[in-house]
Amino acid sequence: MARLDTFPVSFKVAGRAILIVGGDDEALAKARLAVKTSARVRVFAETVEADFSGLEIEMVERPVEAADFADAALVFIADHGAEGERAHALAKVAGVPVNEVDVPEKCDFYTPAIIDRAPISIAISSEGAAPVLARLVRAQIEALLSPRLGAIARLAGAMRDKVSAALADGGARRRYYEALVTSAAVEAAVDAGQGEAEADRLLDAHAAAESGEGVVWLIGAGPGAEDLLTLRAQRRLQEADVIVHDQLVPAAVIEMGRRDAERISVGKAKGHHSFSQAQINTLIVRLAREGKKVARLKSGDPMVFGRAGEEVAALRKAGIAYSIVPGVTSALAAAADTATPVTLRKVSSGFVFATAHGADNTDLAHWASLAQSGLTLGLYMGKSIAATVAGDLLAHGLSPVTPVGIVVNAGRADKALYSGTVGAMAQDAIDFADGPAIIFIGHAVASGDWAQAAEIAPDVKRTA
Ligand code: SAH
């Protein structure tokens, strides 16, 4: 088995200095790292080539001297000439660890890629072998961590005495801290500068119940590509004890949850009503009452045709904590896929996202006039009734030459595009690819990029 040649430690620099020798871009890069700490950062350079402005450093425009090492914790040498060598020798005498930038054999220590959520820090090192890989790993870990992690860690630190007083049992204290650092309410309160008040409130609740509280997060999974999910959605999925998901949410997204999280599919794909809405409401309330963290995962955005209104009403009635994580709704994914501006200066002053399924005559008359006046319609749940809807819009006065664009499987690799006019769509000739679809209607649609689209024409039958 490969062994580490370096030992990761957290080196104390508070109240001391970090010295940087050199004035070029390499020196600047190290200065940027060094200013993340509370150490004094002193840059020694006779000629300053890089732009150090905006960094809290002391620029010393003379050669470094033995006395400068007296309070130095670390030194970075970015000068690879005689001056650098002299500085290295002085550091050795003073016993200060040296990093010669990009010269591993002359380094006493390496600088890892750092994730800084002070007081929490995470260092990723490849012992100099693959810094690019270390940076990629850092990006992946960054994506998992709340930007408020540091503030929450400080908050947890500040609560220590109060927690010891309020909760005698070690297990109860641990449960409190777990709740504190993962609570959506605390996170929101920290943002609003109310972190301590919320932490106190949570402590009262724990002292009363001496157990964790359940919560439900309504999470938008986006249109189906695993990288069209928000970072917050990803984090919540990893915190959840149970993931309750709809049929349309792809497996790759559900997989993002913790390995040991329970997963419950509640169906709701067209034609497969495995759970009624009432049963789903009851389920999420019951799970939260058991003290579980429930991720209620919905395709697209949870507030758009997701029946979130009913679920939220049930949670409020039951007094259960909840929060909502938005997602990319499929109509906007379809707009992105086809570079279609749903609003366009002088053409479309707005957009209407509506469901074609269940629309009545009054709805259709209303939309026809909106589209006629230039607004872009984005119709959900309309694939199987596309021709009927188009016919009705025509009957209500929409011009037959109004552009139409349809995206099946928006945001996914297997998307299929169709474009034409309302007049052509009314003639029932489209042999759609399998999958959910968004139907755009309106003049702005013509400004999109539909070059890859199959033409909607009465005589064209095709699968994409
Ligand atoms: N909350 C979802 C909508 C759920 S209703 C959202 O915000 O996107 C289900 C309808 O959404 C489908 O009938 C279809 O019209 C649309 N839809 C969902 N995913 C889609 C996708 N990847 N591509 C196109 N349409 C999609």
Side-chain angles (χ1 to χ4, degrees), residues 20 29-30 46 78 83 129 133 148 163 171 216 218 242 257 278 293 321 335 457:
I20 295 171
K30 296 305 176 195
E46 282 179 280
E83 176 55 23
L133 179 62
R148 301 162 191 97
V163 175
V216 177
L218 278 79
V242 196
K293 298 193 180 75

Side-chain angles (χ1 to χ4, degrees), residues 294-310:
V294 183
R296 173 73 181 100
L297 192 57
K298 293 164 175 289
S299 78
D301 183 279
M303 310 312 274
V304 178
F305 304 124
R307 303 194 63 173
E310 290 151 74

Side-chain angles (χ1 to χ4, degrees), residues 222-224 248 270 298-306 327-331 333-334 379-382 407-412 436-438:
L248 268 179
K270 206 163 180 292
K298 293 164 175 289
S299 78
D301 183 279
M303 310 312 274
V304 178
F305 304 124
V328 176
T329 190
S330 41
L379 299 182
Y380 290 64
M381 294 174 272
V407 183
V408 176
N409 293 323
R412 304 185 192 174
I438 290 293

